[in-house]
């Protein structure tokens, strides 16, 4: 009787059969995951990219494998059981498979981006090439993620006949709504296109030193829609990515991370320049920020009461550029105060006695 009762429940209750099939698919998927983990873990151990792809695909595979096994096992049910709610179940399985595949594609793109970051570090002295490569990779990966998600969502919606018919009737009967949607999406599309332009032409790269909106900072992050600029005082300036296509910006390190710091000093006409040049060379030799390329002292202007001295020194990176300029300014002023205090800027005036008969002016 027990076997007869079980067979009767199997035949008379289709949903019981579907539940049993779902449980069996889940158990089989656990076995598949265990075997795959044992076989692939050794193979990907010495392959960084394969290991990243394997780790990132674990989550999507936990959804994809049970769905595929469930879809195959449902086909083994009797015709009446498979037909009972088969349309709804088939649509749900198809949507789940598309969701898992979209999730897996996004995770795979992220793994490729991380592999590129490892192979092109930016914490080295000559990192111009690496920064350009990372900028292209990140922009293309972010754009690819957006495209994959859009295609995945569109595929899931198109797999549902009711939604597909509703969308077709909406586009046919409400052209203005479609026009409004296009206008609303224009900023998003503009940013995506601008991101692709930046990835190809590269007016900016990661870790570039730029002057934007009167602020000097580093390009810290580039996404598909905006750019984060780290200001020198640790503030963050978030700028739409199309801004860098439509407006001029000052990029100080686009082709070379080296920067030249300019220091201006004013002294009396009698200041000797050669001791100043020797002191400047000594200061630069002792400065850890100096890159040993530029160390120049020139008299660039002669005003009415003083001469203007321009000092050019070079460093790599904005922090070193700023610190070296301050170090040189402090060192030269201290040297003049100690060795040539008489040549500090002074105001000269000639006192002339008042002519006879002129009224006397008293100052209290």
């Amino acid at each position: 009787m027990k076997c007869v009762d079980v067979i009767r429940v199997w035949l008379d209750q289709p949903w019981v059969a579907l539940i049993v099939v779902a449980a069996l698919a889940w158990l089989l998927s656990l076995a598949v995951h265990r075997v795959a983990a044992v076989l692939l873990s050794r193979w990907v151990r010495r392959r960084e990219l394969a290991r990243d792809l394997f780790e990132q695909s674990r989550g999507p595979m936990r959804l994809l494998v049970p769905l595929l096994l469930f879809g195959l096992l449902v086909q083994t049910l009797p015709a009446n059981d498979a037909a009972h709610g088969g349309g709804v179940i088939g649509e749900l399985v198809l949507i789940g498979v598309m969701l898992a595949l979209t999730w897996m594609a996004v995770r795979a793109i992220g793994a490729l981006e991380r592999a590129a970051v490892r192979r092109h570090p930016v914490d080295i002295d000559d990192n111009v090439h690496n920064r350009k490569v990372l900028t292209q990779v990140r922009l293309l990966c972010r754009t690819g993620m957006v495209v994959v998600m859009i295609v995945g969502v569109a595929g899931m919606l198109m797999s549902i006949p009711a939604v597909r018919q509703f969308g077709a009737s909406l586009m046919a009967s409400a052209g203005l709504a479609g026009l409004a949607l296009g206008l609303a999406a224009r900023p998003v599309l503009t940013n995506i296109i601008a991101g692709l332009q930046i990835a190809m032409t590269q007016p900016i790269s990661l870790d570039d030193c730029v002057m934007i909106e009167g602020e000097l900072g580093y390009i810290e992050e580039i996404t598909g829609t905006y750019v984060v600029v780290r200001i020198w005082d640790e503030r963050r300036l978030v700028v739409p990515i199309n801004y860098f296509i439509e407006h001029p910006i000052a990029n100080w390190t686009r082709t070379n991370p080296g920067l030249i710091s300019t220091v201006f000093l004013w002294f009396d006409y009698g200041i000797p320049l050669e001791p100043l040049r020797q002191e400047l060379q000594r200061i630069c030799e002792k400065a850890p920020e100096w890159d040993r390329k530029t160390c120049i002292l020139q008299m660039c202007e002669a005003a009415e009461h003083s001469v203007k001295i321009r000092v050019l020194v070079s460093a790599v990176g904005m922090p070193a550029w700023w610190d070296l300029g301050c170090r040189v300014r402090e060192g030269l002023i201290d040297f003049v105060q100690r060795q040539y205090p008489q040549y500090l800027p002074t105001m000269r005036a000639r006192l002339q006695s008042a002519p006879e008969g002129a009224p006397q002016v008293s100052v209290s």
Side-chain angles (χ1 to χ4, degrees), residues 140-211:
L140 293 177
C141 286
R142 302 295 169 82
T143 304
M145 289 180 182
V146 173
V147 172
V148 167
M149 289 188 289
I150 292 175
V151 172
V153 173
M156 286 184 281
L157 293 178
M158 293 298 292
S159 65
I160 304 175
V163 176
R164 184 168 63 246
Q165 293 174 1
F166 175 76
S169 62
L170 180 62
M171 292 298 295
S173 61
L176 292 178
L179 179 60
L181 181 62
L183 292 175
R186 188 176 63 85
V188 178
L189 297 176
T190 301
N191 285 326
I192 292 176
I193 295 174
L196 292 175
Q197 288 179 319
I198 289 178
M200 295 297 102
T201 60
Q202 289 195 335
I204 58 172
S205 302
L206 289 172
D207 212 35
D208 269 350
C209 181
V210 297
M211 176 71 75

Side-chain angles (χ1 to χ4, degrees), residues 8-328:
R8 183 175 300 171
V9 169
W10 182 272
L11 295 175
D12 297 338
Q13 301 293 332
W15 291 107
V16 174
L18 292 176
I19 292 174
V20 173
V21 169
L24 182 60
W26 181 68
L27 293 175
L28 289 176
S29 68
L30 292 180
V32 171
H33 283 300
R34 184 64 59 87
V35 173
V38 173
L39 295 178
L40 295 178
S41 59
R42 296 180 180 179
W43 181 74
V44 303
R45 186 174 301 170
R46 296 182 179 180
R47 299 171 174 85
E48 292 185 352
L49 178 58
R51 185 172 63 250
D52 287 344
L53 292 173
F54 176 70
E55 293 294 334
Q56 295 299 321
S57 63
R58 282 189 173 185
M61 290 300 290
R62 289 192 179 97
L63 176 63
L64 180 62
V65 174
L67 288 174
L68 292 177
L69 292 175
F70 178 74
L72 293 175
L73 292 175
V74 165
Q75 303 300 320
T76 64
L77 294 177
N80 293 334
D81 295 345
H84 186 80
V88 176
I89 294 175
E91 291 177 1
L92 293 178
V93 171
L94 181 59
I95 292 174
V97 170
M98 289 185 177
L99 177 62
L101 292 176
T102 303
W103 185 12
M104 183 180 298
V106 172
R107 299 291 292 271
I109 294 174
L112 294 176
E113 180 181 348
R114 280 186 288 274
V117 171
R118 283 197 305 269
R119 293 187 178 184
H120 299 85
V122 295
D123 54 349
I124 57 178
D125 293 336
D126 189 7
N127 60 1
V128 176
H129 174 71
N130 290 354
R131 289 191 288 110
K132 289 184 177 181
V133 172
L134 288 182
T135 301
Q136 287 182 332
V137 169
R138 288 190 174 179
L139 282 174
L140 293 177
C141 286
R142 302 295 169 82
T143 304
M145 289 180 182
V146 173
V147 172
V148 167
M149 289 188 289
I150 292 175
V151 172
V153 173
M156 286 184 281
L157 293 178
M158 293 298 292
S159 65
I160 304 175
V163 176
R164 184 168 63 246
Q165 293 174 1
F166 175 76
S169 62
L170 180 62
M171 292 298 295
S173 61
L176 292 178
L179 179 60
L181 181 62
L183 292 175
R186 188 176 63 85
V188 178
L189 297 176
T190 301
N191 285 326
I192 292 176
I193 295 174
L196 292 175
Q197 288 179 319
I198 289 178
M200 295 297 102
T201 60
Q202 289 195 335
I204 58 172
S205 302
L206 289 172
D207 212 35
D208 269 350
C209 181
V210 297
M211 176 71 75
I212 179 172
E213 296 292 328
E215 300 283 1
L216 185 62
Y218 282 105
I219 301 294
E220 183 178 57
E221 182 181 0
I222 302 177
T223 69
T225 55
Y226 62 88
V227 176
V228 179
V229 181
R230 185 180 76 250
I231 309 302
W232 64 273
D233 57 0
E234 296 302 324
R235 289 179 295 141
R236 300 300 190 273
L237 186 65
V238 181
V239 186
I241 196 168
N242 63 323
Y243 180 93
F244 294 88
I245 299 297
E246 299 175 354
H247 298 82
I249 60 171
N251 191 335
W252 292 16
T253 58
R254 185 173 183 269
T255 58
N256 188 352
L259 297 172
I260 295 181
S261 179
T262 305
V263 176
F264 292 103
L265 300 172
W266 289 263
F267 295 116
D268 189 77
Y269 269 84
I271 187 73
L273 295 184
E274 192 57 34
L276 280 181
R277 290 192 176 97
Q278 296 176 2
E279 180 65 15
L280 173 63
Q281 187 68 33
R282 188 189 66 81
I283 293 173
C284 289
E285 292 288 347
K286 294 178 60 178
E289 302 89 356
W290 187 47
D291 62 359
R292 301 184 178 276
K293 291 183 178 180
T294 303
C295 180
I296 300 174
L297 185 144
Q298 297 172 322
M299 182 184 297
C300 63
E301 186 177 338
E304 182 181 0
H305 303 291
S306 61
V307 294
K308 185 177 182 180
I309 304 297
R310 185 181 69 172
V311 177
L312 301 178
V313 288
S314 59
V316 177
M318 187 176 64
W321 165 81
W322 176 263
D323 292 341
L324 181 60
C326 295
R327 185 188 299 272
V328 168

Side-chain angles (χ1 to χ4, degrees), residues 352-364:
Q352 185 176 359
S353 60
E356 295 182 2
Q360 298 294 327
V361 178
S362 61
V363 179
S364 57

